[in-house]
Amino acid sequence: MGDHKEQPLRVGAAVRRRRRALELTLAVVAARSGLSVPFLSQIENDRARPSTSSLEKVADALRTTAVELLAAADPACSVDVVRAEGAAPQPQPRTRSLVRGHHQMHASEFTGDHDAGREFQYRNDQLMYVADGAVEIEAEGRAYRLGRGDTLYLTGGVRHRWRATESDTRVVVVAVAEHIEAVRDGPRR
């Protein structure tokens, strides 16, 4: 129970991602596949489940295979548990993904320090939460010191770097996934 592999897959998001990556309209995919625009829209919005034959037609129109679309599909479950690793101490530093699969949200837990000189810049917004310890974050030319329980919100496009300032620091980073187009219109500074 709770294992998303037991659930049926939602192929719609995979179809949409592939179509957008190829910069195709629904009308072009409809013409290539012989399927209707409304039906393709229902597939992309997970309101219709394509038959094997229809999925193969869509895959051909998108220059891929039905197997690849299914492999990129989202699980249909709404609940999934990612268990903490065993009680044995893990070497530091380390990173652990807190969300499995290809979803609209990504979350990771960082334990210990990492390459403090590395600069990050993500396309979409993110939230950093200090679960234990303390960090120093440099963003927009300013330094921010965060302790246990503090959060820092960064809009997409903000360059930043961070470092742990105490041993046994744990930071949780939650972000809108890179494959989601969540950036604002207009130029960024």
Side-chain angles (χ1 to χ4, degrees):
M1 286 185 26
D3 187 353
H4 69 270
K5 290 180 172 75
E6 298 171 2
Q7 303 292 329
L9 295 176
R10 297 181 309 178
V11 73
V15 169
R16 182 182 310 108
R17 283 190 297 271
R18 177 69 180 173
R19 178 179 62 79
R20 287 181 176 170
L22 294 173
E23 298 179 352
L24 299 174
T25 64
L26 280 171
V28 170
V29 177
R32 287 181 181 179
S33 67
L35 302 171
S36 72
V37 170
F39 180 59
L40 290 171
S41 177
Q42 288 177 342
I43 291 172
E44 284 193 1
N45 291 300
D46 289 312
R47 291 190 192 111
R49 291 185 65 188
S51 66
T52 303
S53 172
S54 293
L55 186 59
E56 287 171 357
K57 289 176 183 178
V58 171
D60 288 345
L62 296 174
R63 298 185 185 113
T64 189
T65 66
V67 171
E68 288 178 1
L69 287 175
L70 289 170
D74 291 337
C77 70
S78 61
V79 176
D80 188 27
V81 175
V82 176
R83 299 275 181 209
E85 288 142 3
Q90 300 291 321
Q92 289 189 5
R94 71 182 180 99
T95 303
R96 179 172 75 101
S97 181
L98 301 176
V99 179
R100 281 190 284 229
H102 194 72
H103 296 286
Q104 294 180 10
M105 183 186 74
H106 180 73
S108 296
E109 176 186 65
F110 297 89
T111 303
D113 210 349
H114 69 288
D115 184 0
R118 181 175 174 206
E119 186 175 73
F120 299 92
Q121 181 181 24
Y122 298 103
R123 185 172 79 171
N124 295 325
D125 297 356
Q126 70 173 349
L127 176 88
M128 297 179 76
Y129 170 74
V130 181
D132 286 308
V135 298
E136 185 173 272
I137 302 167
E138 182 185 319
E140 298 282 301
R142 291 186 57 196
Y144 301 89
R145 287 182 172 79
L146 279 69
R148 183 176 185 209
D150 292 341
T151 62
L152 180 80
Y153 182 85
L154 299 162
T155 60
V158 171
R159 293 176 189 267
H160 62 283
R161 68 181 93 234
W162 66 275
R163 68 181 185 87
T165 58
E166 294 180 9
S167 61
D168 298 326
T169 292
R170 284 188 315 125
V171 176
V172 175
V173 177
V174 180
V176 176
E178 288 293 309
H179 69 274
I180 303 297
E181 192 66 37
V183 296
R184 289 180 290 280
D185 294 333
R188 287 243 139 139
R189 291 192 277 160

